[in-house]
Every structure is written in C-alpha cells, then in structure tokens.
Amino acid sequence: MPSRLPIQDIFAGLVTSIGTAIRYWFHYTLVAFAWLGVVPLTACRIYKCLFTGSVSSLLTLPLDMLSTDNLLADCLQGCFVVTCTLCAFISLVWLREQIVHGGAPIWLEHAAPPFNAPGHHQNEAPAGGNGAENVAPDQPANPPAENAVVGENPDAQDDQAEEEEEENEEEDDAGGEDAADANNGAQDDMNWNALEWDRAAEELTWERMLGLDGSLVFLEHVFWVVSLNTLFILVFAFCPYHIGHFSLVGLGFEEHVQASHFEGLITTIVGYILLAITLIICHGLATLVKFHRSRRLLGVCYIVVKVSLLVVVEIGVFPLICGWWLDICSLEMFDATLKDRELSFQSAPGTTMFLHWLVGMVYVFYFASFILLLREVLRPGVLWFLRNLNDPDFNPVQEMIHLPIYRHLRRFILSVIVFGSIVLLMLWLPIRIIKSLLPNFLPYNVMLYSDAPVSELSLELLLLQVVLPALLEQGHTRQWLKGLVRAWTVTAGYLLDLHSYLLGDQEENENSANQQVNNNQHARNNNAIPVVGEGLHAAHQAILQQGGPVGFQPYRRPLNFPLRIFLLIVFMCITLLIASLICLTLPVFAGRWLMSFWTGTAKIHELYTAACGLYVCWLTIRAVTVLVAWMPQGRRVIFQKVKEWSLMIMKTLIVAVLLAGVVPLLLGLLFELVIVAPLRVPLDQTPLFYPWQDWALGVLHAKIIAAITLMGPQWWLKTVIEQVYANGIRNIDLHYIIRKLAAPVISVLLLSLCVPYVIASGVVPLLGVTAEMQNLVHRRIYPFLLMVVVLMGILSFQVRQFKRLYEHIKNDKYLVGQRLVNYERKSGKQGTSPPPPQSSQE
C-alpha cells in the first residue's frame, strides 16, 4: 500500500460517495414529497371538493389536484385532515379490541338461557363492564339496627331495578333469536389467523412503511392512505354533515346554527345523533324480522356512534360548560359583564371557546386530583357515589359500551349540578362577600398592558421559570393539603360523632367490631356474599372480586345518622367558603403589598401579585413547619441547624447570583446584540437595551441550552452540570461550581461581548475609516463574528468527514483483513509470556 492515496483513488471514492448521497437524496425527497405533499394535499382537495356541494367541483377535481394555488395552506389543512382520519381509524381498531376482549353488550349478542354452555352458572357475572350489577341474589331487606356495625348502603336498589328493567327490555328485543347464529356473529370478529398477522407485523416496520429503507414499496402505502382518507372523509364527515344539514333545514333551525359561528361542528353532531337514532330503529326492525347478521352489524355501528358522541360530550361539552360557568360566576371579580364576553366571542369565537374549554379542563383535573387525595384520607367506601379513577377495574370505554344512554345522561346532569354548585360555593359567593366587606379590594387588575417601569415580559418569564417550578416541584404542598384535610376530618368526626364513618375503626374498635361480626355470623348462612346490612355495593364488589369486599370497611352508625350527615355537609360548605375567601384575598393582598415596594403606585397584572404573594406565603409556611419539626430536638440542635442552613443559604445565594443573575444577563445581552438588534433596529437608529428584558430572555435561553447540553454528547460542560445536579442544594460545592462552571462560562460570554466591542470601538477608528463605516462595523460585527464561528464549525466538521472518507477509501481498496491480538505489557520476563492466540477476520 502506498504511503499516500493516489489522487485518482480519492477522486473515484469521492464520486462514489457523492453518487450514493445523491441517490439517497432523491429517494428521501420523493418520500418527503409523497408523505408531506401528495397525501395532505390530496386529502385537503378532496375534502373541499366534497363540501362545496356542487357537481362541477367533482368534475374539476383532477384539475384541482394539480393546481398550485394555496399550496402551503392546503398542505397544512390536509395534514390536519389526515391526522383526524388516522386518529379515527386507530380509535375504531381500538374500540373493536375493547368489544372483542371486554365483551359486547348483552342486547348485541344475547343467547337464550337454555343454550348456555354446560358449567356456566346462570347467575355468573358476564364479561361486560356492568354485569356485576345483575347478579345479587335475593336477600332479606331488614334495615340495620342503630349503633350497629354496618357497611355502605348506597342507592344500589334503584340501580338494580333499572338494570333489571333494562335487561327485560333487551330480552324482549332479542327474545326470539337463534343462539347458534348469535354465537357465529359473535365469533366473526375473531375469525383471523394470529400467526399470519404477527408475521406481517414483523415484516412491516416503520422504515419499510414510510419508505426510509430505500425501497419503493411505500408508494403502495401512500395509495392506501389516500384511499383511507377519502373513505373516512366520505363516511365520517360528509354523510353525517349532510344528514344534519338537511334535518336542520327541514326543522327551520338553520339560522340559529349559523349564528353560533360553529355551523359545521354543530351540524355534524346533529347528523351523528340522527344517525344513532336511525341505527337503533333499524336494529329493532332487524331483530323483528330475524336478520341476525344485519342486526349485529347495525348494533356495532350504533356502538361506534354512541361511544363517539359520549367522548365528545365527556371531553368537549362538559369542560366547556364548566369553563363558561366559571367565567360567568367570576365576572364581578374582573369588573366585566356578559356584554364584554359576548363581544369577545363575536370577535374571536374559536379562541374564546378554546380558552373556556381549557379553563374547564383544568378545573375538572384539579377536582379529580382533590378527590384522589380525599380517598387517601377517608375510610374506603365513604365516596362510594364517585368513580375511583385509580381502580384497576375502572374502564370508562367499557361503561360507554355497556351502559344505556339514559344512565349516561343522568350521570352527566348530576355532574353538571355538582360542579356548578361547587363553583357557586367557592367562587360566586366569596366574591359577593368580599365586595360587601372589602369594597376597594376588587376588581382584580387584569389589563393587558402595564404602566410600570418593569416589563410585563420579564415578570411573566420570571413567574413561569422561577416561581411556578419552585411551587410545583415541591411535594410539601400536597402533604400540607393532605394534613389539613385529615385534621378537618378528625375534628368533624369527633364533633359530630362520625369518626367511625369518616376514618374507620382500625385501631379503636377493631376488637369490638370483630366480636360483633362473629356474633352476627351465626344468624347468617355462612356464605361468602354479605347481606343487605353490609350494603349491596359491598356485595357486588365481593362477587366481582371473588373474595372480601374491596374498597370497603365497616363502620359504626350513630344515632340520628341522616341529621349528622346533613350537619357534616353544612360544615364542609362553610369550611370551603372560608378557605376560598382566604385563597382569594391573602395571596393577592400580600403580593400587592410587596410589589408596592418595587413598582410604587403603578398597577401591574394581578397574576404577578397573586404569584408573589402565594410564593411568600409558601415560604412562610415552610419555615414555620421546619421550626416546628426542630423544636423537640432542643436549643443546641436548633442553633446547629440554623447555622448549617444559613451557610447553605449563603452559598446558594452566591451561586444564584452567578448562575441565575450574571450568566442569564450576559447571555440575553449577547442574544440581543447578535440576533435581535440587527433584525429590528435600522442602521440610522440607536438600539436601546433593557436589562430586565435581557435577563428574563437570558433565563429562558440558559434553561434551553442546559437542557440541550444534558441531552447531547458527553463533554466537559455536560459533566459539570450533571455533577452539580447530583450534589443538589444540601451538598452544594461552591468552589467546584465557581471553578468548573461559573468562571469558564462567564469568561466565554465576557470575551464574546468585549472582543467585538474593542475591535469596533478601539481598532477600527485607528484605521481612518469614515463614521458610516464605523457605525456599520459597530452594528454588524456581532452577527459577522457569529457567522465566522459557524463557518469555522462547519469547516472543522467537513475536515473530520473528509478524514473519515479518506480512511474508508483506503480500507476499501487496500484492507485485506483484521487480526485480533492480545495486548501484552512489556516486562523483563520475556520467556514466560505465552504466544498470543490469533483470530483473523476478513
């Protein structure tokens, strides 16, 4: 092999590499054009063609496909359409799996009792989600005695009667059906070969499906995706929309729907409702004439439409109602009226509805989180009327499939009443009380501009980047809330003699409860099913779990139990009202008082004052809890702890000044000089720099750079940041942080700021150039040096790539094989080393 590669070999290898790169570039360009151009553009043009409502659009569809008008907008809209169709397809497949594995409703695949399989007990719970409610045997209905150990006794009799009525109606609908045909229909969905599907899934990878493996098989997949988009647009959008449109026109509601600014969505939902009614009527007719396959197909279609509508109601309509009700109840808090909300809705209906939906979703989420916290404190079984989201057997989709519509409608109305009442109690009523007691406290200042010397942007970023993460990342807040709930529960339990009902008798009355249970056991038949005295809910859970009641504990029922429960509810409402009053006034009052030292008499957004006051309140409560925890340890230990914490706080403040003050300020100023000022300020104007804004943007940039560094390859900055994170605040190493992190970063930033300034202000004037040229150099030297650094990085990267290409060409032409040889240290004992084993790889 020559010492250096000949020029022709390098040139031939370079041409081969360039040819391979061009071939891959053409292939990936075709892939991107097909998936990001053809598929969304076709979906958008077909969608517009179908919804224009004219025959001429169908005739000119091929020409519209080739049109170059509004390409970018149509591609973006087409991506949204494709995403919706793919989500609909995935949802259908998933719903099919839910029906196959979770069991279809009884009315869909109902077999008469004489055809039950041998060994299948008639009272056994079916695989459906609500089957356990129909299997409770007849039991004595004697009411429990006062002061006896009883279980939960919810309104299960009503549910049982409704389920029995529903079952009777369904049996009347499907009473004359042949069992064999029903079983065959139920097995139609399972008629597929699992091995073939698994083999096909192994062969079809994401690279092969999208065309990233270099083959052209993806063109077939593009055709099928376009066909699937067209089919789903036609079936799930075109047909329901026109059904709803013709119905609304016939009923004379077209003008009201057009005034809602959401004509398409409301018309489509109306079409789906009418389609569901039509499907259930056709299902009944097919049952009467005994068209078994048609009956099953219509039933499955009805389930799909029903689940879709229920998902829209649960996820879309209910949070929207909660958001609007929150807004209406809080109008006086912001000095607004319904006319203002109407004008905002008329000006931007989509944005207004989305914001209200988002507020409603946040409200529902925090309400559900509070219920989960209550379940950790209260006795299992107290909240029997609320669904347990942590229950592994809870499956909302199965409930949507199996429960009838009127049950969902009743649950929806009850949820609206409960959530609306809580909003009235914790928002509207406290606002009225505050306006009467503190007339000058409200309204909150929520203006979108500020006359304060401090920028709104810097305060907003400070809130998002500093205050909220410090509050949300601390687990103490949840523990404090849980402790308050437990203290309130214990107090209310002892005041109303409901301690056993609220918290249970695990410690106090465990022996007496066991004795009462053993005494009452002789009056029972020793079966595993609890009697009515223990609650039908517990009986259902016991049968469903094939064991003792899950999520149920017995309790002692005192005298005048309903009156005590009523007093408990009144006490709870008063407590929630007082807590709401404190939360609406204390943080804002503290924040306004603290902000007045900084901004003076200028008014700023109330969100910042509330956040500042909330943060100060949190720090105060945290300090008090820490001191209370240290009190039993003695004065000497407290002084030692205070000394350690004072030293740690001093170190933390020094690090915070360097890493959260100096570094973000320099970073934000450098970003302003390199990017913002050259783009926004002309050469004949002088740029103005605002340190607060630069610092706030620098905080954001520093967090982004730190996140990218931690996700990137291993180098010295990543090692140092990981070490600082690993040490934490308690084990903070000030010398290590300053020497390894703060000093190098600040030095690089200062050099990046000072060297261009020295060149522009000190060197260029010595060259005798004009004032215009000096101004040009002074304003453009920072982006020019950035361009130089980027070009140097690109050149160094290309040099490394060329070295790798050189080695690759040399190995392809001259490398014969590789040999693995054991490494032996050089030592004085040459004769003792065994001969190295050899293995060649060519």
Side-chain angles (χ1 to χ4, degrees):
M1 188 185 82
S3 59
R4 295 182 178 179
L5 286 178
I7 299 297
Q8 59 270 19
D9 291 344
I10 298 177
F11 184 74
L14 188 60
V15 168
T16 303
S17 300
I18 292 175
T20 304
I22 291 175
R23 182 171 62 85
Y24 276 109
W25 182 81
F26 272 113
H27 179 79
Y28 290 137
T29 303
L30 180 62
V31 170
F33 176 74
W35 289 112
L36 300 178
V38 174
V39 172
L41 196 62
T42 306
C44 179
R45 300 288 167 84
I46 292 176
Y47 180 84
K48 289 183 177 180
C49 171
L50 289 175
F51 281 91
T52 51
S54 62
V55 182
S56 60
S57 61
L58 292 174
L59 298 178
T60 58
L61 180 60
L63 297 178
D64 293 337
M65 292 289 186
L66 303 176
S67 176
T68 58
D69 297 336
N70 299 324
L71 277 180
L72 182 59
D74 287 350
C75 283
L76 294 176
Q77 186 177 358
C79 289
F80 178 74
V81 173
V82 171
T83 303
C84 292
T85 54
L86 289 180
C87 291
F89 176 73
I90 295 171
S91 300
L92 281 178
V93 174
W94 183 64
L95 184 59
R96 173 192 174 276
E97 293 296 323
Q98 290 288 326
I99 296 175
V100 170
H101 295 291
I106 303 175
W107 56 267
L108 183 60
E109 44 179 7
H110 179 76
F115 295 97
N116 285 342
H120 180 77
H121 198 271
Q122 191 168 352
N123 288 329
E124 185 176 344
N130 207 41
E133 295 191 6
N134 298 326
V135 296
D138 294 334
Q139 294 174 2
N142 296 326
E146 298 293 334
N147 293 322
V149 177
V150 295
E152 286 296 335
N153 192 12
D155 191 12
Q157 290 86 354
D158 186 19
D159 292 342
Q160 185 185 17
E162 290 172 355
E163 291 298 320
E164 290 175 357
E165 183 181 5
E166 174 197 353
E167 183 180 0
N168 293 332
E169 292 176 0
E170 292 164 353
E171 287 178 358
D172 292 336
D173 290 339
E177 186 174 313
D178 184 65
D181 289 338
N183 291 331
N184 290 334
Q187 292 175 359
D188 284 341
D189 291 334
M190 300 297 293
N191 190 14
W192 54 279
N193 193 342
L195 296 177
E196 295 180 358
W197 280 86
D198 292 341
R199 189 179 302 112
E202 292 177 358
E203 294 177 357
L204 185 63
T205 59
W206 282 104
E207 289 81 6
R208 186 171 181 81
M209 185 177 69
L210 297 177
L212 301 178
D213 60 344
S215 64
L216 297 178
V217 185
F218 76 95
L219 295 177
E220 179 183 356
H221 303 151
V222 169
F223 171 76
W224 284 112
V225 169
V226 172
S227 304
L228 182 68
N229 286 332
T230 307
L231 178 64
F232 270 69
I233 291 171
L234 186 64
V235 174
F236 292 99
F238 179 78
C239 294
Y241 174 79
H242 283 82
I243 291 173
H245 178 70
F246 293 144
S247 303
L248 291 174
V249 170
L251 296 175
F253 295 128
E254 185 179 8
E255 295 181 358
H256 300 284
V257 174
Q258 289 179 354
S260 66
H261 298 280
F262 295 96
E263 178 187 1
L265 181 61
I266 295 177
T267 305
T268 305
I269 292 176
V270 171
Y272 270 107
I273 294 173
L274 296 175
L275 186 62
I277 297 173
T278 306
L279 286 173
I280 200 65
I281 293 174
C282 294
H283 177 269
L285 295 177
T287 303
L288 291 177
V289 297
K290 298 183 180 180
F291 287 170
H292 303 299
R293 292 186 180 275
S294 301
R295 171 185 173 274
R296 179 173 177 79
L297 178 62
L298 291 170
V300 171
C301 293
Y302 168 72
I303 290 175
V304 171
V305 176
K306 170 188 169 184
V307 172
S308 303
L309 289 174
L310 289 175
V311 168
V312 170
V313 170
E314 293 285 345
I315 299 180
V317 177
F318 182 69
L320 193 61
I321 293 174
C322 293
W324 275 106
W325 186 239
L326 281 166
D327 191 7
I328 291 171
C329 291
S330 62
L331 287 176
E332 294 183 354
M333 187 167 62
F334 304 111
D335 196 16
T337 60
L338 286 175
K339 188 66 176 178
D340 299 333
R341 296 296 181 260
E342 183 181 355
L343 292 176
S344 64
F345 176 76
Q346 295 291 338
S347 61
T351 304
T352 304
M353 297 296 282
F354 173 75
L355 290 177
H356 284 83
W357 174 85
L358 186 62
V359 170
M361 282 295 292
V362 171
Y363 169 56
V364 172
F365 170 75
Y366 278 106
F367 185 86
S369 302
F370 185 71
I371 294 300
L372 293 178
L373 187 140
L374 285 181
R375 290 188 183 277
E376 297 180 6
V377 176
L378 298 177
R379 177 185 62 85
V382 174
L383 302 176
W384 57 268
F385 50 90
L386 294 176
R387 289 176 291 180
N388 189 4
L389 301 180
N390 286 337
D391 188 3
D393 296 325
F394 173 66
N395 192 342
V397 179
Q398 288 293 331
E399 289 189 355
M400 292 180 184
I401 293 173
H402 289 84
L403 295 183
I405 286 292
Y406 74 90
R407 292 283 300 276
H408 290 287
L409 182 61
R410 185 182 67 179
R411 182 180 294 172
F412 176 78
I413 294 174
L414 289 176
S415 300
V416 169
I417 293 173
V418 171
F419 279 75
S421 303
I422 292 175
V423 171
L424 283 175
L425 179 66
M426 299 190 66
L427 191 61
W428 182 80
L429 188 57
I431 291 172
R432 303 294 299 177
I433 295 175
I434 292 173
K435 286 182 71 68
S436 61
L437 297 180
L438 302 172
N440 297 325
F441 186 79
L442 292 178
Y444 288 162
N445 183 29
V446 290
M447 58 184 178
L448 298 179
Y449 62 93
S450 175
D451 55 354
V454 181
S455 173
E456 292 279 327
L457 180 63
S458 60
L459 286 174
E460 182 178 352
L461 289 176
L462 177 65
L463 171 68
L464 294 178
Q465 302 294 326
V466 179
V467 177
L468 288 183
L471 289 176
L472 297 177
E473 292 176 2
Q474 298 289 335
H476 305 289
T477 307
R478 189 176 188 277
Q479 296 298 325
W480 294 343
L481 183 59
K482 187 176 178 180
L484 288 176
V485 171
R486 182 178 295 277
W488 182 90
T489 307
V490 171
T491 305
Y494 280 110
L495 287 177
L496 300 174
D497 195 16
L498 291 175
H499 184 270
S500 174
Y501 175 76
L502 294 176
L503 297 175
D505 298 327
Q506 294 89 347
E507 299 178 358
E508 300 179 4
N509 301 330
E510 185 177 4
N511 297 327
S512 61
N514 291 333
Q515 184 177 0
Q516 291 180 5
V517 169
N518 293 330
N519 293 334
N520 293 331
Q521 195 71 23
H522 298 289
R524 302 176 183 175
N525 294 327
N526 252 350
N527 50 11
I529 302 173
V531 296
V532 174
E534 291 181 333
L536 286 177
H537 178 70
H540 298 161
Q541 292 292 329
I543 296 172
L544 186 63
Q545 301 293 336
Q546 295 181 356
V550 176
F552 164 76
Q553 286 182 3
Y555 65 95
R556 182 180 59 83
R557 184 167 183 168
L559 295 172
N560 299 322
F561 184 69
L563 179 61
R564 296 175 188 272
I565 293 296
F566 176 75
L567 294 177
L568 176 68
I569 295 174
V570 172
F571 188 34
M572 179 185 66
C573 293
I574 295 174
T575 305
L576 291 176
L577 179 61
I578 295 174
S580 179
L581 285 171
I582 294 174
C583 292
L584 289 175
T585 55
L586 183 60
V588 176
F589 181 78
R592 287 177 180 177
W593 181 69
L594 290 173
M595 284 290 186
S596 64
F597 296 104
W598 186 9
T599 60
T601 58
K603 292 184 178 181
I604 60 175
H605 201 286
E606 213 68 66
L607 177 65
Y608 308 127
T609 60
C612 179
L614 190 65
Y615 197 51
V616 170
C617 293
W618 178 85
L619 287 176
T620 305
I621 297 173
R622 178 62 179 155
V624 170
T625 54
V626 168
L627 288 177
V628 169
W630 288 348
M631 288 296 289
Q633 299 180 9
R635 185 179 301 176
R636 182 179 300 176
V637 176
I638 292 178
F639 284 144
Q640 183 68 25
K641 292 282 188 182
V642 169
K643 181 179 178 181
E644 293 177 359
W645 277 76
S646 301
L647 183 61
M648 185 186 69
I649 290 174
M650 291 298 297
K651 291 182 179 180
T652 307
L653 287 176
I654 295 174
V655 172
V657 169
L658 292 176
L659 298 184
V662 177
V663 172
L665 179 61
L666 297 178
L667 193 60
L669 186 60
L670 183 62
F671 182 80
E672 182 87 14
L673 290 170
V674 173
I675 304 294
V676 179
L679 293 177
R680 297 181 59 181
V681 184
L683 290 176
D684 57 346
Q685 296 181 5
T686 302
L688 298 177
F689 300 100
Y690 300 95
W692 277 113
Q693 289 191 11
D694 295 338
W695 172 79
L697 290 174
V699 170
L700 185 62
H701 296 153
K703 292 193 70 172
I704 294 174
I705 292 173
I708 294 175
T709 303
L710 292 176
M711 292 187 297
Q714 195 71 30
W715 58 308
W716 70 269
L717 184 59
K718 181 179 179 180
T719 305
V720 173
I721 294 177
E722 287 178 346
Q723 183 63 39
V724 172
Y725 273 140
N727 292 336
I729 296 180
R730 294 181 181 272
N731 300 321
I732 189 170
D733 190 350
L734 184 61
H735 182 262
Y736 179 81
I737 293 176
I738 293 177
R739 184 170 54 90
K740 294 290 186 179
L741 182 60
V745 172
I746 293 175
S747 301
V748 171
L749 291 175
L750 285 176
L751 287 175
S752 302
L753 288 170
C754 297
V755 171
Y757 183 80
V758 170
I759 294 175
S761 301
V763 178
V764 173
L766 299 178
L767 301 178
V769 297
T770 61
E772 290 80 5
M773 180 59 66
Q774 291 182 15
N775 184 36
L776 178 64
V777 172
H778 189 273
R779 295 288 300 279
R780 294 294 184 260
I781 188 169
Y782 286 99
F784 174 74
L785 290 180
L786 175 65
M787 190 188 313
V788 170
V789 171
V790 171
L791 288 177
M792 290 176 60
I794 293 174
L795 287 177
S796 63
F797 174 75
Q798 294 299 329
V799 168
R800 290 196 302 269
Q801 292 296 107
F802 184 77
K803 289 181 179 179
R804 291 177 58 187
L805 177 63
Y806 182 86
E807 293 294 329
H808 179 68
I809 295 171
K810 182 175 66 174
N811 292 335
D812 284 346
K813 188 171 183 62
Y814 298 104
L815 182 63
V816 177
Q818 293 179 348
R819 177 174 294 177
L820 180 64
V821 181
N822 287 342
Y823 172 73
E824 298 290 343
R825 291 182 179 273
K826 294 182 179 180
S827 58
K829 301 178 181 180
Q830 298 291 339
T832 59
S833 60
Q838 297 178 354
S839 62
S840 63
Q841 179 182 357
E842 296 185 7

